[in-house]
Amino acid sequence: MDNKLNIDIYSFSYKKGGIPVDNSGNGGGFVFDCRGILNPGRIEEYKPQTGNDKGVQEFLETKTEMPQFIDLIKNLVSITINDYIARGFDHLQIAFGCTGGQHRSVYCAIKLGKFLQEKYPELVNVTVTHNEQPQLN
């Protein structure tokens, strides 16, 4: 058994599966609604892609408010993670939802997961799950 904080990050669809259940017994954590960010899925070129694809990522990073959105989330989540680590907690769930669970929420889950692994390499275990995009898991 390690004493790391286990962080489960999800991308999901509000229309399909809804907010993921927290099976840890802690009653959940953060849920971020990405629908306020311009949806690349409404642009023909990006419809078949996901938030893991370079074209969608470049669109979100240059044509939307996503960089500011994700930076604010990184700061907010870091406050809680620092506290959870200091207090010896073992689990935190973070979920990102958008309309279809394909573009914006996938992007956010991936980016936050990488950020947390880099920021807390010895202190956390990060698992990213894409509820609507199982091929990315």
Side-chain angles (χ1 to χ4, degrees):
M1 177 177 160
D2 63 37
N3 293 325
K4 292 184 177 184
L5 176 64
N6 296 297
I7 302 173
D8 294 322
I9 303 174
Y10 292 89
S11 68
F12 70 93
S13 164
Y14 280 101
K15 283 181 127 180
K16 298 174 186 172
I19 299 171
V21 174
D22 179 2
N23 293 316
S24 74
N26 293 332
F30 291 101
V31 178
F32 296 102
D33 188 342
C34 303
R35 293 176 292 182
I37 303 296
L38 183 61
N39 185 359
R42 295 193 177 269
I43 299 168
E44 201 61 42
E45 173 184 357
Y46 303 122
K47 280 185 183 180
Q49 297 182 19
T50 74
N52 193 46
D53 289 303
K54 189 170 181 69
V56 170
Q57 291 180 1
E58 287 175 356
F59 174 84
L60 289 170
E61 291 167 1
T62 61
K63 306 285 189 208
T64 75
E65 295 294 324
M66 184 60 83
Q68 181 181 3
F69 181 78
I70 196 72
D71 282 346
L72 291 167
I73 290 169
K74 288 175 182 176
N75 289 326
L76 179 63
V77 167
S78 293
I79 292 168
T80 295
I81 290 171
N82 292 337
D83 181 70
Y84 276 24
I85 290 169
R87 294 168 56 197
F89 285 24
D90 63 3
H91 182 263
L92 175 63
Q93 180 169 305
I94 304 166
F96 293 95
C98 63
T99 306
Q102 182 175 337
H103 299 97
R104 298 163 291 180
S105 62
V106 167
Y107 173 90
C108 287
I110 290 168
K111 292 298 182 181
L112 184 66
K114 287 180 183 176
F115 167 78
L116 295 177
Q117 287 172 330
E118 291 171 6
K119 183 171 182 173
Y120 304 99
E122 304 297 324
L123 301 174
V124 303
N125 293 317
V126 176
T127 303
V128 177
T129 303
H130 304 287
N131 285 359
E132 309 304 331
Q133 305 300 315
Q135 77 278 11
L136 299 177
N137 293 340

